[in-house]
Amino acid sequence: MTTLGIIGSGNIGAAVARLAVAADIPVVVANSRGPESLSGLVAELGPPATAGTVEQAAEAGEFVLLSVPLTAHTAIPAAFLRGRTVLDTSNYYPFRDGRIAELDDEKLTTSELVQRHFEGAGLVKVFNNILAHHIPQLARPSDASDRTALPVAGDDAGAKARAAALVERLGFDTVDVGPLTESWRFEPEAAAYTRLYVADPATPDERLLDAPGAPVPAAVLRSALDGAERVRVAERTF
C-alpha cells in the first residue's frame, strides 16, 4: 500500500493528510518542531496516520509531500528525498522568504530552485496553486461529474505520472503543464493561482481565506494556463 510522507504540518500539509487518510493511504507527518507537537493532528486523522521525524516521513514510502516555507527546504538533507517522488507545494513570497536573486531575476522558477537542492528526487510541483480550505471542499470521487483539476509540472516524466496518479486518487484531475521551467504558469499572481478556484471572483483579498470554492474542470484550468503571462517576480510585494 502506498504511504505518503508529509513534511510540513501547516494548512496545506494537514489538508492533504486528511484526503490521504480518507483515501485509505497511510501517512507519516513531520514538522520542524518534532513528533510530539503533532499529537492533536494525528489523533484527528486517526489510525492510518502517525507522527515522525522529518527523516522518518521522508523514508516512509515512495511519495513525500513537501510543504514547508521556501527558505526552509535547504534545512532538509537532500539525501532524505533521493529516489522519492516529491510533491512540492512551494511558493515564493518575499515578505516571508526575503528576496532571492535567482527568482527575482527569473533565472529559475521556485521549484527549479527546490529541485536543485534535492538532487536525485523526482520533484513535481502541485498543490501550490489552491487555498488550503478549498482542498477538502473541492476533492471528489473519480466518477464525479464536477471534478476539479490541478496543474502538475516536473522534469521527470515517471515521477510526474506517479504524482498525477496519487493526486487523482486524492480527489482531483490533473493537467500536465510540462517541465519545471513552465511552473511559473501557476505560481502567485498567475491566472491559475488560487482565485481560479474561488466561487465569487469578486471576493476581496481579505476574504479569500474563508471564501467558498467552486469546481474548476480541466478545460478551464488549461485555458488559464495557456493564456498565462509571466509575472515580474522582482516586483512582487507580498
Side-chain angles (χ1 to χ4, degrees):
M1 181 181 292
T2 299
T3 297
L4 176 62
I6 297 179
I7 300 176
S9 59
N11 293 335
I12 296 290
V16 174
R18 292 183 181 99
L19 292 189
V21 168
D24 295 322
I25 299 171
V27 298
V28 179
V29 187
N31 62 21
S32 61
R33 299 184 300 278
E36 63 281 355
S37 69
L38 294 165
S39 57
L41 176 61
V42 168
E44 175 199 335
L45 292 171
T50 58
T53 64
V54 169
E55 184 173 9
Q56 287 169 336
E59 294 179 347
E62 177 187 359
F63 295 96
V64 179
L65 180 86
L66 179 67
S67 192
V68 300
L70 180 58
T71 53
H73 79 276
T74 53
I76 302 169
F80 285 5
L81 299 185
R82 190 166 291 125
R84 301 295 192 270
T85 299
V86 178
L87 283 65
D88 174 38
T89 75
S90 298
N91 285 313
Y92 173 38
Y93 303 116
F95 83 93
R96 177 196 67 188
D97 303 319
R99 305 305 315 197
I100 300 174
E102 289 171 299
L103 299 183
D104 285 347
D105 294 343
E106 297 168 27
K107 294 178 180 177
L108 296 171
T109 62
T110 303
S111 287
E112 285 182 291
L113 183 74
V114 177
Q115 175 72 89
R116 186 173 66 181
H117 175 67
F118 291 112
E119 183 180 359
L123 190 137
V124 181
K125 192 177 189 76
V126 66
F127 282 119
N128 71 295
N129 75 316
I130 184 170
L131 294 168
H133 72 288
H134 288 161
I135 293 174
Q137 281 185 25
L138 298 179
R140 297 288 189 275
S142 59
D143 58 352
S145 60
D146 59 345
R147 289 260 285 190
T148 283
L150 297 177
V152 295
D155 296 338
D156 182 320
K160 189 161 51 176
R162 292 189 294 273
L166 178 62
V167 172
E168 289 168 7
R169 183 174 170 186
L170 294 175
F172 296 90
D173 291 335
T174 60
V175 172
D176 187 347
V177 182
L180 294 176
T181 54
E182 293 296 309
S183 60
W184 60 267
R185 294 179 180 276
F186 55 102
E187 289 186 340
E189 300 176 271
Y193 179 77
T194 64
R195 274 191 174 274
L196 186 66
Y197 300 91
V198 178
D200 180 4
T203 300
D205 289 347
E206 61 271 18
R207 295 293 308 278
L208 284 179
L209 294 182
D210 58 8
V216 176
V220 172
L221 174 60
R222 191 173 291 109
S223 177
L225 293 164
D226 289 346
E229 295 184 6
R230 190 153 192 173
V231 173
R232 301 276 72 85
V233 179
E235 298 174 5
R236 184 172 297 155
T237 58
F238 61 90

